[in-house]
Amino acid sequence: MRPQADQIRLKLRQLVQGLTDLRHDGQFDEPNLDGTAGDYISFDSWEWPQGVGLYGLAQLWRRHRDPALQTLLESWYARHLAAGLPGLNINTTAPMLALSVLWGETRDPRWQPVLDEWANRLMADAPRTAEGGLQHDVSDKVNPGELWDDTLFMAGLFLARYGHASGQAELVDEAIRQFLVHARYLSDPQTGLWFHGWTFDGRHNFARARWARGNAWITACILDLFEVPDLPGSVRLYLTEVLKAQVSALLPLQTASGAWRTLLDDPGSYEEISATAGFAYGLLKAARQGIGGPDWAEAGWRGVQAVLANIDDAGTVQNVSYGTRMGPDLQFYRDIPLQPTGYGQALAILCLVEAEGQLATEKVA
């Protein structure tokens, strides 16, 4: 059963409030390599969960053009630019994605120098693995020779979107290379699902974890990459087949509640809502674009219902697994604690923005 549009709009308002209300309570102590405190929860911190959160806000703003949302976004970036930005790594690149969306729509001259400088540094200075992959270094750890699913959402999508918006074809080309290199080493040819990571040191996929949120990053960002108009047809065709292989494996793994488990093929692992939101977003979007059929749409709507059932009255998405490092074994993933986060809020926002748009289109038709 599909939700009502009024219910979706209410939940979107609540999600924005829930995102901006997030605060670090000291439960997780993760200092950065430079000795500063790491804050992966509070809204007003420059890190990857907040970067994904801002992307959700930016896409919601693109749909409704709410001046209050634009002010929220612009104020967030203005504060951080005034305070000074952190060092560059894959995860600190994540906030640049929403800024590239904002600049692409407004062409506000405040943002382009920042975007240009960061993109140039990412291209020139970011450590690489063999075959030119972006090494998944983070604020508190260097990961030599490692490729992670997360990189495509945190950095690859920024290069593609900003490269297109700014007319810098070399950035789009680099984004394409990252998608192809990551697909080569992380996509499991046996199942179609994606492993969390790969290391060139020993050449293996760590615990061979078919981790839900990592797979959801892929589902969502392949479809968002397709919004770049100058994507070569051959790349689009190749990634479409990669996506179809993944979804063919995903659909039978959806639980009775409409959610997916944090280890997709492990019935003993818990249901996880940030991944469920990412899958529902991608499935609905792909069905709308004609990439997937009615079974994709049906699974997407079931996922929407699961997401709605996990948003409390304060607008906080529950049953979201905390930030997940590369696990040495599958038990590591089963033991990740649950914690409301910016990416949980944002993936739910993306999911409901897509659902709201489809409900509005059906009503007009």
Side-chain angles (χ1 to χ4, degrees):
M1 185 176 69
R2 298 190 181 188
Q4 297 295 311
D6 288 347
Q7 180 189 14
I8 297 282
R9 286 191 286 270
L10 171 63
K11 288 300 182 183
L12 281 167
R13 290 194 295 272
Q14 291 176 335
L15 284 168
V16 173
Q17 189 64 52
L19 173 59
T20 57
D21 284 347
L22 287 174
R23 297 292 183 275
H24 194 308
D25 62 4
Q27 178 183 358
F28 302 99
D29 181 20
E30 298 177 283
N32 296 321
L33 288 172
D34 62 6
T36 58
D39 182 353
Y40 298 90
I41 297 173
S42 304
F43 176 66
D44 203 29
S45 175
W46 186 291
E47 256 298 343
W48 72 271
Q50 296 82 357
V52 181
L54 293 162
Y55 183 57
L57 293 179
Q59 296 292 42
L60 179 58
W61 168 72
R62 283 183 75 199
R63 172 159 178 78
H64 292 288
R65 301 293 173 170
D66 180 353
L69 269 181
Q70 183 173 342
T71 299
L72 176 64
L73 288 163
E74 292 177 340
S75 298
W76 194 94
Y77 284 105
R79 285 196 306 275
H80 282 278
L81 291 181
L85 299 187
L88 180 144
N89 59 56
I90 295 302
N91 282 352
T92 56
T93 298
M96 288 296 170
L97 175 57
L99 188 59
S100 69
V101 172
L102 185 65
W103 177 80
E105 298 286 335
T106 67
R107 300 289 162 159
D108 188 320
R110 288 178 292 175
W111 314 132
Q112 188 170 19
V114 181
L115 291 162
D116 275 337
E117 181 182 6
W118 199 281
N120 291 338
R121 289 172 59 208
L122 187 63
M123 293 283 281
D125 301 336
R128 303 281 179 144
T129 69
E131 301 185 28
L134 286 169
Q135 179 172 295
H136 195 90
D137 289 347
V138 296
S139 299
D140 62 356
K141 193 172 188 294
V142 175
N143 296 304
E146 294 185 17
L147 300 174
W148 295 23
D149 297 331
D150 317 48
T151 300
L152 295 181
F153 202 99
M154 307 310 154
L157 206 52
F158 159 61
L159 289 172
R161 281 191 174 275
Y162 183 59
H164 169 69
S166 62
Q168 299 181 66
E170 66 275 14
L171 300 184
V172 178
D173 287 343
E174 182 60 40
I176 291 169
R177 172 161 69 155
Q178 295 307 317
F179 274 80
L180 297 180
V181 170
H182 283 71
R184 169 166 157 77
Y185 288 103
L186 299 181
S187 178
D188 174 17
Q190 184 177 13
T191 66
L193 300 173
W194 285 49
F195 296 121
H196 186 185
W198 165 269
T199 177
F200 284 96
D201 181 11
R203 300 183 71 88
H204 59 77
N205 291 109
F206 296 95
R208 295 177 64 84
R210 298 174 184 96
W211 174 54
R213 191 164 58 244
N215 273 267
W217 295 136
I218 300 307
T219 312
C221 72
I222 284 179
L223 286 157
D224 285 7
L225 179 70
F226 287 173
E227 294 179 348
V228 175
D230 40 358
L231 196 67
S234 57
V235 173
R236 186 182 298 270
L237 288 170
Y238 171 74
L239 290 176
T240 296
E241 294 306 316
V242 169
L243 179 66
K244 287 179 177 179
Q246 184 203 40
V247 173
S248 292
L250 277 176
L251 295 186
L253 298 173
Q254 189 174 26
T255 69
S257 73
W260 279 266
R261 298 186 183 279
T262 198
L263 287 173
L264 289 166
D265 50 358
D266 178 3
S269 65
Y270 57 77
E271 295 182 4
E272 205 282 328
I273 299 304
S274 70
T276 296
F279 290 139
Y281 166 67
L283 290 168
L284 289 179
K285 188 170 184 176
R288 170 172 59 84
Q289 295 176 347
I291 296 171
D295 54 339
W296 292 36
E298 179 183 353
W301 285 112
R302 290 177 60 209
V304 169
Q305 293 289 9
V307 170
L308 289 170
N310 282 275
I311 303 171
D312 66 20
D313 290 341
T316 305
V317 183
Q318 301 296 325
N319 293 307
V320 170
S321 63
Y322 188 60
T324 305
R325 301 175 186 276
M326 191 58 56
D329 53 43
L330 296 181
Q331 191 61 42
F332 173 87
Y333 294 87
R334 299 183 190 106
D335 293 341
I336 294 292
L338 298 172
Q339 168 66 45
T341 64
Y343 55 80
Q345 301 294 122
L347 288 166
I349 289 171
L350 292 175
C351 168
L352 297 189
V353 166
E354 178 64 31
E356 182 195 26
Q358 293 200 23
L359 291 172
T361 301
E362 291 173 1
K363 184 177 180 180
V364 170

